[in-house]
Amino acid sequence: MSDSAKEIVLTGIGVSQGIVIGSAYLVQIELPGAPEYVLPPDQTEAEVTRFEQAVFQAKEEISGLKNKSDGLPKMSSSEDISFLLDAHLAMLSDSRLIRGVRHKIVQEGINAEWAVGQEVALIAEQFRQIKDQYIAARCDDVFAVGYRLIRILMNVPYMSLGDVPQGGIVLAREISPAEISLLGPRSLSGIATVHGGVAGHTAVMARSMGIPAVLGLSPTALESQYNGATAIVDGVGGRLVLNPTLTTLRIYEQKLQMLRRDRRELQKLAQLPALTADGVEIVLRANLEMPRELMDIKASGAKGVGLFRTEFMFMNRDELPSEEEQFEAIVEVVRAMKGEPVTIRTLDIGGDKPARALSAYLSKEANPALGMRAIRLSLKETQLLCTQFRAILRAGYFGPIRILLPMVTIASEVRNARSILMECHANLLKEKVPLSSELPPLGTMIEIPAAALSADSLAAVSDFFSLGTNDLIQYTVAIDRGNDQVAELFNPLNPAVLRLMEFSIQAGLRAGIPVSICGEMAADPKFTALLIGLGIREMSLGFDSLPRIKQCIRSLTIGKSNEHARHVMDQYDPDRIIQIVRNFR
Ligand code: PEP
Ligand code: MG
């Protein structure tokens, strides 16, 4: 920190518990406006040379990235990333883009940045008119290559997420789940972004990796002066401090020590049961985004996996994962859980979770959050579902599994999925593939208000329920879960949300099926007594939050929790509910 650097404190949404002090690494996502000018006639040759040097440097950068992606573990789809980078390299060879830019510099006498911008726009427009989804997806690649060239021409340094120094804190406009899934397990220590809401996927993934994160910050955080500055990400208080003073640093070092002590204490609970003070077990399972979390999940004392999000297998690649590849990924988790159940959710892609590999199946929609996604896509493109079911059923030979269907709206979706599951099972038996003779339990995510309100009919066709409160809140209050601008209204304690939850829990319990919760509400100790009081006896959450929730459970009784839940459910005023929950105990 230089003596003259002034401390600034930016407030945002703390989405991942923990504090980290480190060095800021600014991922420059937007370039300042590229210059556009006409060249003096004798300058065109020099401009072509300048452009060719930029092309050379771009190739060097991509080759460097390619070497890095080759070193990534198999699960990170390194081959597919490598394939994509090859496509970018090809675009920088004697391609239409390169020839077009050269032609524009020479014939129209314009500067290289302007020529690249124009040529990229032209090619992208032509691609779009072809109306082929595969070609349309190539537009992103043309833009990416164009951006790289313009950045080099403008001498803006190359800042890639893949280059974050060990322990660095990333400051970015936005980080997608696909980008996070590419990062090495311990490569970065903190995240601070301008966009993103409390239950968005960046938040969910940051939490699942145990990385302190603050989202929804002012764009001031992205000013170039902060690159390399000392930064504090306070995921507890929702603050980003840049250039902290010595006093601030001392305060945060103390907070950090307290957090570490707290964590060590909590870790001692790992092997103790999650029993309420009056002896009722609440089953705590883990949510799993990526297999690299397996070791941490085991160390947390989780009783199996309550939500295995399979989307990572489809991200950062152009081709669909084969049955074999999916089987390998799932069986690794099943084996590691050593007899504890693993709940595998079928593909929940579409809407806010895009995946290039599926672009041929997904068209552009005006309202993707309400469109072709999750179980709707699986039942439309049944070969996708069959491949997943076959991989899951095969993995089930190696340990107990359950299958969970995302974004279910009506009972017929569960019925149809079940008949496909039975058919896949019968086919595998015919093929003499080693298989459990019984079908695994098939459960339903309750995450759409219509599903919650018709939970009685869904309970009749489901073997278990899992409440996805992230989407249930989003669709009930019409608030995008990843949007920082309206994050205030993303309130789990909105009485409408609580009533839907109570209704579906009751319907499940009446039908005698297990009811679990796997949304982020399960990871917040503020809500634990309320959830237990509403009848929840199984929760699935990020491994990082599991010890704290266990500690909370061990201090509660069922009687007090029931009383608390009744008190909350008797209210209709959201502010009053917030107050009651805050003041509990
Ligand atoms: C949810 O919606 O609460 C949920 C657990 O699913 P996801 O966060 O993957 O959408
Ligand atoms: Mg969901």
Side-chain angles (χ1 to χ4, degrees):
M1 182 184 60
S2 80
D3 288 346
S4 59
K6 199 166 165 295
E7 169 179 301
I8 65 154
V9 181
L10 301 172
T11 48
I13 311 164
V15 297
S16 180
Q17 297 296 302
I19 291 173
V20 62
I21 304 174
S23 180
Y25 182 87
L26 194 91
V27 181
Q28 185 106 35
I29 290 179
E30 274 181 9
L31 290 176
E36 296 178 357
Y37 51 86
V38 177
L39 301 160
D42 61 343
Q43 286 288 305
T44 51
E45 211 172 300
E47 192 67 357
V48 170
T49 309
R50 191 170 78 91
F51 171 62
E52 276 164 359
Q53 279 163 351
V55 173
F56 178 78
Q57 192 179 325
K59 283 184 181 165
E60 294 268 298
E61 284 180 5
I62 295 174
S63 303
L65 272 180
K66 218 168 109 61
N67 289 341
K68 263 201 205 121
S69 81
D70 290 345
L72 284 172
K74 191 168 151 262
M75 295 305 309
S76 304
S77 319
S78 55
E79 282 170 29
D80 304 279
I81 297 161
S82 181
F83 174 77
L84 192 77
L85 294 173
D86 277 337
H88 286 202
L89 277 177
M91 274 185 220
L92 287 164
S93 299
D94 189 30
S95 66
R96 146 102 205 262
L97 172 67
I98 302 302
R99 286 194 304 274
V101 174
R102 242 191 249 122
H103 182 81
K104 279 200 154 55
I105 297 174
V106 175
Q107 297 300 318
E108 296 175 26
I110 59 174
N111 69 310
E113 291 91 335
W114 196 4
V116 173
Q118 283 199 6
E119 196 58 33
V120 164
L122 204 70
I123 297 175
E125 187 46 40
Q126 287 168 358
F127 275 11
R128 263 194 285 269
Q129 280 171 8
I130 297 176
K131 296 212 180 332
D132 174 296
Q133 280 155 7
Y134 178 80
I135 304 261
R138 300 277 73 75
C139 272
D140 292 347
D141 298 329
V142 180
F143 279 119
V145 171
Y147 170 92
R148 188 181 292 280
L149 285 170
I150 295 177
R151 178 183 49 70
I152 293 170
L153 286 162
M154 292 175 71
N155 286 325
V156 174
Y158 176 40
M159 309 294 281
S160 138
L161 257 184
D163 281 341
V164 184
Q166 194 76 18
I169 291 174
V170 168
L171 308 190
R173 191 161 294 277
E174 189 167 25
I175 305 181
S176 70
E179 284 168 325
I180 293 199
S181 72
L182 275 184
L183 294 167
R186 300 277 180 256
S187 60
L188 58 83
S189 64
I191 294 175
T193 65
V194 172
H195 297 306
V198 69
H201 297 290
T202 308
V204 170
M205 291 186 99
R207 264 193 291 263
S208 78
M209 290 167 77
I211 299 174
V214 181
L215 315 183
L217 292 159
S218 145
T220 308
L222 300 182
E223 285 174 17
S224 59
Q225 53 174 314
Y226 298 122
N227 192 33
T230 303
I232 301 172
V233 173
D234 176 358
V236 186
R239 270 183 289 270
L240 169 71
V241 187
L242 291 160
N243 294 326
T245 61
L246 283 178
T247 316
T248 307
L249 270 176
R250 223 165 280 138
I251 293 171
Y252 269 100
E253 269 153 12
Q254 275 168 8
K255 283 190 186 190
L256 205 51
Q257 268 176 17
M258 270 164 57
L259 271 180
R260 285 196 190 119
R261 211 174 312 137
D262 203 26
R263 209 162 274 207
R264 275 199 301 276
E265 283 304 308
L266 285 174
Q267 209 46 50
K268 292 184 190 154
L269 296 176
Q271 300 317 321
L272 297 180
L275 290 180
T276 58
D278 48 354
V280 175
E281 185 180 14
I282 309 295
V283 179
L284 291 185
R285 307 192 206 277
N287 287 357
L288 182 143
E289 325 292 320
M290 283 169 286
R292 72 162 83 116
E293 294 163 68
L294 264 178
M295 293 306 286
D296 288 319
I297 287 177
K298 288 188 65 133
S300 73
K303 288 207 159 280
V305 172
L307 170 63
F308 180 162
R309 290 180 166 103
T310 51
E311 292 77 64
F312 75 91
M313 294 185 217
F314 295 77
M315 287 176 174
N316 298 306
R317 55 189 298 158
D318 281 346
E319 314 256 306
L320 293 169
S322 64
E323 176 186 319
E324 197 54 33
E325 197 179 338
Q326 295 191 45
F327 163 73
E328 293 286 342
I330 299 166
V331 85
E332 184 191 349
V333 179
V334 171
R335 281 201 173 109
M337 284 298 124
K338 294 202 163 66
E340 296 287 3
V342 177
T343 313
I344 303 125
R345 187 175 68 183
T346 59
L347 192 55
D348 187 13
I349 227 85
D352 49 347
K353 297 177 211 169
R356 220 175 29 236
L358 285 157
S359 54
Y361 299 92
L362 297 165
S363 51
K364 216 164 170 39
E365 297 173 293
N367 273 313
L370 306 179
M372 184 51 66
R373 52 179 307 189
I375 189 67
R376 301 167 190 175
L377 177 66
S378 297
L379 289 176
K380 178 167 173 261
E381 306 290 348
T382 49
Q383 77 283 15
L384 289 176
L385 188 60
C386 276
T387 309
Q388 267 211 308
F389 276 162
R390 285 177 63 95
I392 297 171
L393 288 169
R394 284 173 54 199
Y397 182 70
F398 298 88
I401 53 157
R402 309 194 300 176
I403 301 180
L404 183 56
L405 303 174
M407 302 287 296
V408 168
T409 316
I410 47 173
S412 61
E413 289 170 325
V414 184
R415 264 191 240 111
N416 293 343
R418 193 184 291 277
S419 60
I420 295 172
L421 180 67
M422 287 164 72
E423 197 183 313
C424 293
H425 189 260
N427 286 342
L428 284 167
L429 282 178
K430 250 187 255 153
E431 293 164 31
K432 303 220 176 330
V433 176
L435 208 62
S436 162
S437 58
E438 279 180 31
L439 279 176
L442 183 67
T444 296
M445 291 277 294
I446 302 291
E447 52 184 343
I448 294 179
L453 285 172
S454 49
D456 39 5
S457 79
L458 287 168
V461 293
S462 310
D463 299 321
F464 65 97
F465 276 170
S466 191
L467 267 61
T469 47
N470 307 337
D471 278 313
L472 187 61
I473 301 167
Q474 156 166 274
Y475 289 112
T476 305
V477 296
I479 289 292
D480 177 349
R481 58 193 267 188
N483 187 334
D484 45 289
Q485 298 192 54
V486 283
E488 286 268 301
L489 285 170
F490 189 90
N491 175 17
L493 295 177
N494 184 307
V497 174
L498 295 179
R499 288 169 194 177
L500 288 171
M501 287 173 63
E502 183 181 44
F503 191 88
S504 33
I505 295 168
Q506 288 303 319
L509 296 181
R510 264 198 315 275
I513 60 171
V515 181
S516 153
I517 171 168
C518 61
E520 291 301 302
M521 259 183 107
D524 190 333
K526 266 201 312 291
F527 305 134
T528 310
L530 174 59
L531 294 174
I532 293 175
L534 286 174
I536 290 286
R537 295 293 180 268
E538 278 185 39
M539 303 185 190
S540 188
L541 54 151
F543 68 84
D544 209 35
S545 312
L546 206 136
R548 188 169 301 286
I549 298 299
K550 191 186 278 184
Q551 184 190 46
C552 188
I553 289 169
R554 291 173 64 88
S555 71
L556 291 168
T557 61
I558 296 291
K560 278 270 169 243
S561 305
N562 288 347
E563 215 177 277
H564 174 56
R566 235 7 316 133
H567 190 191
V568 168
M569 297 311 291
D570 284 344
Q571 313 300 319
Y572 51 79
D573 174 1
D575 292 337
R576 178 76 187 118
I577 296 178
I578 291 173
Q579 197 184 30
I580 293 172
V581 169
R582 195 182 294 139
N583 293 343
F584 180 64
R585 282 193 299 160

